[in-house]
């Protein structure tokens, strides 16, 4: 499954390295993380990382393959 996670604000290069399995792009005051997610546990792990870093998730959606 491919997912996109939109986070409020510009994530620094250091912060984006906490998500090595995801690519990212910065646009319109948001950082968009995207990439392959193995299963639900992986998805919840990504969200837990966002929460532990104090990132505000604006949107999360599954992308077409």
């Amino acid at each position: 499954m491919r997912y996109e996670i939109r986070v409020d604000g510009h994530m620094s290069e250091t912060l984006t390295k906490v998500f090595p399995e995801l690519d990212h792009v910065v646009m319109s005051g948001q950082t968009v993380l995207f990439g392959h997610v193995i299963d639900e546990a992986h998805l919840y792990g990504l969200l837990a990382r966002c929460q532990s870093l104090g990132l505000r998730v604006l949107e999360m959606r599954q992308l077409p393959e």
Side-chain angles (χ1 to χ4, degrees):
M1 301 176 289
R2 289 180 42 80
Y3 272 85
E4 174 183 282
I5 301 171
R6 289 184 178 266
V7 176
D8 190 26
H10 279 151
M11 287 175 60
S12 68
E13 201 60 37
T14 303
L15 274 180
T16 59
K17 289 181 181 178
V18 176
F19 300 91
E21 68 271 64
L22 299 177
D23 292 317
H24 71 280
V25 64
V26 175
M27 55 197 292
S28 304
Q30 300 176 353
T31 302
V32 181
L33 302 166
F34 57 94
H36 185 72
V37 176
I38 299 167
D39 55 18
E40 266 188 49
H42 184 203
L43 181 61
Y44 286 121
L46 291 170
L47 293 174
R49 267 188 261 171
C50 288
Q51 183 179 24
S52 70
L53 294 168
L55 301 173
R56 182 171 168 235
V57 175
L58 301 173
E59 181 183 6
M60 178 187 72
R61 65 185 177 125
Q62 188 173 0
L63 300 172
E65 288 297 326

